Amino acid sequence: MRIPLSWLREYVDLPATETGRDVQAKLISAGLEVETVEHLGADLKGPLVVGQVLTIEELEGFKKPIRFCTVDVGRANGTGEPQEIVCGARNFAVGDKVVVVLPGATLPGGFSISARKTYGKTSHGMICSSDELGMGDDGTHGIIVLPPETEVGKDAIELLELVDEVLDIAVTANRGDCLSIRGVARETAIAYGLPLRDPALLDVPAPNAYGYPVKIADPSGCDRFTARTVTGLSAEARSPIWLQRRLQKVGMRPISLAVDVTNYVMMELGQPLHAYDRSLVQGTIGVRRAEEGEKIVTLDGVERKLHAEDLVITDDRGPIGLAGVMGGANTEIADHDAAENGGNATSDVVIEAAHFDQVSVARTARRHKLSSEASRRFERGVDPQAAAAAAQRTVDLLVLLAGGTAEAGVTEISAPPVPHTISVPADHPDRVAGVEYGRETVVRRLQEVGCDVYGQDELIVTVPSWRPDLTDPNDLAEEVIRLEGYENLPSTLPRPPAGRGLTARQRLHRRVGRALAGAGYVEALNYPFVSEQVFDQLGLDADDPARRVVKLVNPLSDEEPALRTSLLPGLLGALRRNDGRGSHDLALFETGLVFHPRDEQRIAANLPVDRRPGEDDLAALDAALPDQPRHVAVVLAGAREQAGWWGKGRPADWADAVESARTVAREARAELGVRKGQYGPWHPGRCAELFVTVDGEDRVVGHAGELHPRVVKALGLPARTCAMELDLDAVAGVGDDTPQAPGISTFPVATQDVALVVDEFVPADEVEAALREGAGELLESIRLFDVYGNAEQLGEGRKSLAYALRFRAGDRTLTVDEASAARDAAVALAGERVGAVLRS
């Protein structure tokens, strides 16, 4: 909301020395967010005067129309002689009063004016448009033409109110009262401790039976409707300069007198109004819900199909306006320009000042994507008691400025007002703020915002009609605190109890992240929203459990309405974006929650906010939420090791994805099994199934390997992209979270290498498991360091796996015979289990 300081001073007697910055500081202290203070005309310097066009000579031979004018500026130029000016605009004629800037002046933006020769003539100044003076849009996009009665030679800076300060306030959703000069003036008066001249305190005639007929069919949508009629408006009447300038300063464009007056009163009092051309309204004005499929053409010229929940204003023909949002084109006010083009200017108007349900208006505005100044105010709450005063103010201005006559009829349909009363202990603000304000201060501050307060220890507070946001004791406490000054609250650091540190799950989460980062992966955090089409791109079966998703009622994007069941869609999307931007060697990881719907759907209960929920409450809440295990995933593409003087480097492959899973398992201190598998997006010949053993049974917890070429193509990924995804919670469940100090032995290690020949289809993991079991307790570690295949040496369908076995005893130095015996036992069990034989 833009608030001109000159307008604000009409209702609050601010000290003459107070600047916009001073008022900004006061209002910010009172809780209003004043974003900027704009200094209009700060770099404007005269002479800038009113002139009358005496002659116009059309200059020929140029690419665009040019006019050589003589303008009477009185004695402003020091000589009294007509001023010669070259001008390219064409929206003025001989005899028009215009704004002239003379040599020596400076226009906004530091543009200095001097006499200069142009188009074969010498121009002594400029005839100005509103844009050149920084006035904003006046709708003409041309030269300012002033009313005929304007005095020649008059100072145009003062006439057009070009020097002013405008406060730009970001009004929060609960303070609809501050979307008006009246509301901000009230806050300013409180901040300065000055009286307020309330512009809504007007003598309003009582309703009678002679007003324009109105029928409200939906009292819940419209609880107040005031209608007034003004006749005999002059077709020649224009909005005066002061009214146009005030509208421009608050960010509105002047249109016509009747429309400008309704906009002016809306900005002044905060009550949206609408003026209907009485000759175009047929029969009784009504308020009802729209019929499904009804149509209306709004003032912006768009035909809109109405919804059954839309609240509409009607006459005997049907809808003539969207209540609280925008009027209809079929009752639009016609101004003098329409009369000049052969139409009829509006002479009789019906003024509507109503109070509509804020939820209904908000939904209608969003449904039709039609936000207006009126809807912004109704959405945030409008004073229902201001409707009659706003209608009277509009009538008074139309009578004054357009020569109209106010008809005696006054229509006012309203539900009996029910004041909202709150009971609050007098010391409640003290307890909320931790400051002792005292009863007198609490009562005084509440009365300043317009509340009626009664009682001693227990206060009975009746909130004013313009503050619908005050609904409970804490709202009243906030009013006292903000007016006393947030900056006056003591800064006391809380004394929290000693913490118990991170949970085991949190510690594991951090360890896994550090380990993967240390292995060269970069963490990528993605939104948890996915499209169900991604499951087709990933090649999941129709009955795959991952296709069962939790859908959001109000998703951020209609294209991604579901919560993820896998981390891969987000990670692969991040990999694709980075590859498309030139980063081709990528290793990304993410740890995060995935979401699976429960078999039994439950509705979560509203938990209390005045106490800690009980264990049963929390358990019921958890039972209503989706199952949310934590997963970890990695994706790789490009080079895993860069080439250079140190070596040839190598590309990332499926083995790197498998190793990332082993890295996670080591951090969880869990035994992770790896075997050949086949699932969804992975290549069937390069997919490892990851499993853990629980109570003697294997449980699949993830997959790793190279992605299928069809998936790579569908998702636009680099060739040979690899990925791994693991259920981190499941792996942690079989791990030992007991902190383990590293063991340091004083005895040397004995290393034995073995090369075993097995069938090509035998997984290395099975060979390793047999060696580990056969070697017994002396085995400290085992590492696969070579894979070799040569049909001539090993035979068709055979491969060689070379392992390094490290043996160590905790109480002695192993002999060669002991180490060799352990090695032979390991080889023997591998031969028995998988048919392995020592390579000669």
Side-chain angles (χ1 to χ4, degrees), residues 81 84 146 175 178 191 335 557 592 629 650 786 789 801 819:
E81 296 295 325
E84 296 180 341
L146 300 171
R175 290 303 304 272
C178 288
D335 58 13
S557 169
R650 68 175 182 84
D786 184 51
L801 303 176

Side-chain angles (χ1 to χ4, degrees), residues 268-577:
E268 183 180 54
L269 301 182
Q271 168 66 54
L273 302 110
H274 190 70
Y276 301 94
D277 187 327
R278 183 176 179 179
S279 65
L280 300 179
V281 179
Q282 298 181 10
T284 301
I285 292 178
V287 183
R288 62 169 172 83
R289 297 290 172 176
E291 297 177 5
E292 189 70 39
E294 274 190 305
K295 294 181 179 179
I296 182 176
V297 178
T298 46
L299 288 174
D300 57 357
V302 178
E303 183 180 76
R304 303 181 186 278
K305 187 176 181 180
L306 301 179
H307 189 275
E309 292 183 3
D310 291 334
L311 193 66
V312 293
I313 311 297
T314 64
D315 64 4
D316 291 349
R317 296 167 297 177
I320 60 173
L322 282 173
V325 181
M326 185 173 286
N330 53 356
T331 56
E332 182 179 5
I333 298 291
D335 58 13
H336 56 275
D337 291 334
E340 292 177 357
N341 294 325
N344 295 318
T346 299
S347 59
D348 303 338
V349 297
V350 178
I351 307 299
E352 165 211 308
H355 184 260
F356 301 111
D357 175 60
Q358 61 190 82
V359 174
S360 176
V361 171
R363 289 178 175 173
T364 296
R366 283 158 178 74
R367 188 178 298 119
H368 295 285
K369 297 180 175 61
L370 184 61
S371 179
S372 64
E373 292 288 348
S375 67
R376 286 183 63 220
R377 284 160 177 77
F378 279 120
E379 289 173 13
R380 289 162 175 78
V382 168
D383 181 5
Q385 305 296 327
Q392 182 63 45
R393 176 73 164 138
T394 305
V395 169
D396 292 343
L397 287 172
L398 288 176
V399 171
L400 175 67
L401 302 176
T405 301
E407 288 195 350
V410 177
T411 302
E412 186 168 333
I413 301 175
S414 62
V418 181
H420 181 55
T421 300
I422 304 172
S423 178
V424 56
D427 63 346
H428 182 66
D430 301 10
R431 290 186 282 111
V432 171
V435 176
E436 187 174 346
Y437 292 121
R439 179 187 178 280
E440 289 74 15
T441 299
V442 171
V443 171
R444 175 171 58 85
R445 288 304 191 183
L446 293 179
Q447 288 175 338
E448 285 178 344
V449 299
C451 297
D452 291 330
V453 185
Y454 303 95
Q456 293 298 318
D457 294 338
E458 189 75 17
L459 302 180
I460 306 300
V461 181
T462 302
V463 302
S465 58
W466 57 82
R467 292 298 303 274
D469 59 306
L470 303 181
T471 59
D472 57 54
N474 285 334
D475 293 329
L476 301 180
E478 182 182 4
E479 290 300 294
V480 175
I481 296 168
R482 75 175 181 87
L483 294 179
E484 284 295 305
Y486 291 118
E487 68 276 10
N488 295 324
L489 294 177
S491 298
T492 305
L493 293 176
R495 296 180 180 177
R500 289 175 289 182
L502 300 176
T503 64
R505 192 180 191 220
Q506 291 170 329
R507 289 196 299 270
L508 174 61
H509 181 201
R510 293 193 177 186
R511 288 202 309 273
V512 167
R514 285 194 295 265
L516 290 175
Y521 291 87
V522 176
E523 186 171 17
L525 301 178
N526 300 288
Y527 285 117
F529 313 115
V530 295
S531 165
E532 292 182 88
Q533 295 177 349
V534 76
F535 300 129
D536 296 328
Q537 296 172 322
L538 291 175
L540 300 186
D541 294 335
D543 58 348
D544 195 298
R547 285 183 176 270
R548 293 185 63 234
V549 296
V550 178
K551 289 188 176 181
L552 300 173
V553 176
N554 56 341
L556 293 179
S557 169
D558 292 336
E559 297 180 356
E560 296 181 331
L563 291 173
R564 65 189 178 190
T565 56
S566 166
L567 300 181
L568 288 184
L571 268 181
L572 293 174
L575 184 140
R576 180 179 61 249
R577 286 191 298 274

Side-chain angles (χ1 to χ4, degrees), residues 56-69:
I56 297 178
E57 177 188 349
E58 299 290 344
L59 301 181
E60 304 293 340
F62 300 103
K63 293 183 179 179
K64 62 179 181 178
I66 298 297
R67 310 166 99 187
F68 181 65
C69 310

Side-chain angles (χ1 to χ4, degrees), residues 51 56 104 128 168 184 193 265 324-325 338 392 425 439 464 536 579 607 635 793 828:
I56 297 178
C128 298
D168 194 352
V184 176
V265 175
V325 181
Q392 182 63 45
R439 179 187 178 280
D536 296 328
D579 180 72
L607 298 182
V635 292
Q793 297 183 13

